[in-house]
Amino acid sequence: MKKLFIITLLSFFLLPGHVLAVSSNAPVLDKEAFKNMLKEVLKENPEILFDVMKENDSAFIKAITTASETSRTNEMEAKWSKDIKEPKTFTGANRPYLGDKNAPHTLYIFSDFLCTYCQKTAGTVEAFINQHKDVKLVFKAYPKSDQGKIALRWFYLMSQKDMKKAWQLHDTIFAHQQAYANNPLEVLKEIVRQQGLNPEQIAGEAEQKQAELDALINEDIKEAEKYQVAGTPYLFINNLVLVGTQDLTTLESALKFSVK
């Protein structure tokens, strides 16, 4: 009987859309007493929770999912409330950018061509920029290896020559990330060859301008260290910090929060 009573109460308290009607003459169950009784019953009969889930499968999952999403949103907004009070400045000159150069809002992304999470986020970020003409994307280098640095040199060099082809290079490196990891220079040369450029000439320019390009990359690394960037991808939009792989919903929420 007690088990049935607990199952009924769990259904009312855990699932959405239920209203528990209590008579004004009914005795009020002491909260602490109910808590202790609930612990006791669940300890003796752990299958109760499974019974509730089985009987209310879709509603239970919906309740848990909603609670989880609400908790995550509240946690992010609490963090963003602190972020927005801490101004951050980044150098955007001579960096690859996407979107309107004069857009009022800027999304900075610290990225590495050999990072699988950066690969997953790249397309999402580009789609976000395409949907928001008031936001520009500025790429910042944060390589973890010499191989990653080679691609960054070429990307930065290409952005000085032709921004559209630079982003084509960016997308193609990520699309063939493993092949690039195995043969960096050969993959880079093939990409620019497919773009109608002379690969040996680009390779020569990258070597000739290595000190200049490394200076830009090292400046990015210093900024990353200044703002305690931990891993990649690491994003900043109007001072708000976004860590790791992102989805469009989170990017939309961050933009709205930063301008409200």
Side-chain angles (χ1 to χ4, degrees), residues 146-163:
D146 290 337
Q147 282 181 308
K149 207 167 186 178
I150 293 170
L152 289 165
R153 290 186 192 118
W154 281 56
F155 183 36
Y156 277 34
L157 173 64
M158 287 295 294
S159 71
Q160 297 171 7
K161 299 168 71 65
D162 186 318
M163 194 65 73

Side-chain angles (χ1 to χ4, degrees), residues 5-40:
F5 174 67
I6 295 296
I7 290 177
T8 302
L9 282 179
L10 279 173
S11 296
F12 275 109
F13 287 119
L14 294 180
L15 299 176
H18 292 285
V19 178
L20 185 59
V22 181
S23 168
S24 59
N25 297 320
V28 178
L29 186 62
D30 179 75
K31 183 178 180 181
E32 194 62 31
F34 173 74
K35 183 178 178 181
N36 291 332
M37 183 175 69
L38 184 60
K39 284 183 178 179
E40 178 187 342

Side-chain angles (χ1 to χ4, degrees), residues 54-164:
K54 286 179 182 177
E55 293 173 13
N56 304 274
D57 188 36
S58 59
F60 191 86
I61 292 174
K62 182 179 180 181
I64 296 299
T65 301
T66 300
S68 177
E69 291 176 349
T70 300
S71 176
R72 180 173 179 270
T73 298
N74 291 339
E75 184 179 331
M76 284 194 306
E77 292 191 351
K79 181 179 179 301
W80 290 343
S81 294
K82 295 180 181 178
D83 289 342
I84 208 164
K85 296 175 184 177
E86 301 173 358
K88 305 167 187 69
T89 56
F90 301 98
T91 301
N94 299 319
R95 268 60 176 193
Y97 72 89
L98 192 64
D100 183 352
K101 190 174 184 178
N102 298 313
H105 307 295
T106 304
L107 171 60
Y108 293 96
I109 181 168
F110 284 83
S111 186
D112 178 11
F113 281 112
L114 290 178
C115 165
T116 56
Y117 299 106
C118 295
Q119 179 193 49
K120 293 177 181 178
T121 299
T124 302
V125 170
E126 289 185 38
F128 176 73
I129 296 301
N130 289 334
Q131 293 172 16
H132 292 273
K133 304 305 179 185
D134 57 339
V135 184
K136 68 176 175 292
L137 170 66
V138 176
F139 186 97
K140 304 289 284 183
Y142 197 38
K144 292 296 186 290
S145 66
D146 290 337
Q147 282 181 308
K149 207 167 186 178
I150 293 170
L152 289 165
R153 290 186 192 118
W154 281 56
F155 183 36
Y156 277 34
L157 173 64
M158 287 295 294
S159 71
Q160 297 171 7
K161 299 168 71 65
D162 186 318
M163 194 65 73
K164 183 177 180 180

Side-chain angles (χ1 to χ4, degrees), residues 150-240:
I150 293 170
L152 289 165
R153 290 186 192 118
W154 281 56
F155 183 36
Y156 277 34
L157 173 64
M158 287 295 294
S159 71
Q160 297 171 7
K161 299 168 71 65
D162 186 318
M163 194 65 73
K164 183 177 180 180
K165 288 187 176 180
W167 282 100
Q168 289 174 349
L169 177 78
H170 167 281
D171 295 346
T172 309
I173 294 172
F174 272 134
H176 301 279
Q177 191 177 64
Q178 190 54 57
Y180 170 79
N182 294 333
N183 296 287
L185 284 176
E186 289 306 312
V187 169
L188 290 172
K189 288 179 180 180
E190 183 57 31
I191 293 173
V192 298
R193 181 183 290 111
Q194 293 290 332
Q195 292 179 320
L197 301 173
N198 184 325
E200 299 304 327
Q201 180 183 337
I202 301 299
E205 287 185 47
E207 184 175 352
Q208 181 184 359
K209 294 185 176 182
Q210 182 173 326
E212 174 188 331
L213 298 169
D214 282 354
L216 296 175
I217 293 170
N218 290 335
E219 188 175 18
D220 289 348
I221 293 173
K222 287 181 180 179
E223 288 182 352
E225 293 172 346
K226 176 182 178 181
Y227 294 112
Q228 300 178 324
V229 170
T232 50
Y234 212 95
L235 300 82
F236 295 84
I237 180 167
N238 295 342
N239 287 322
L240 305 189

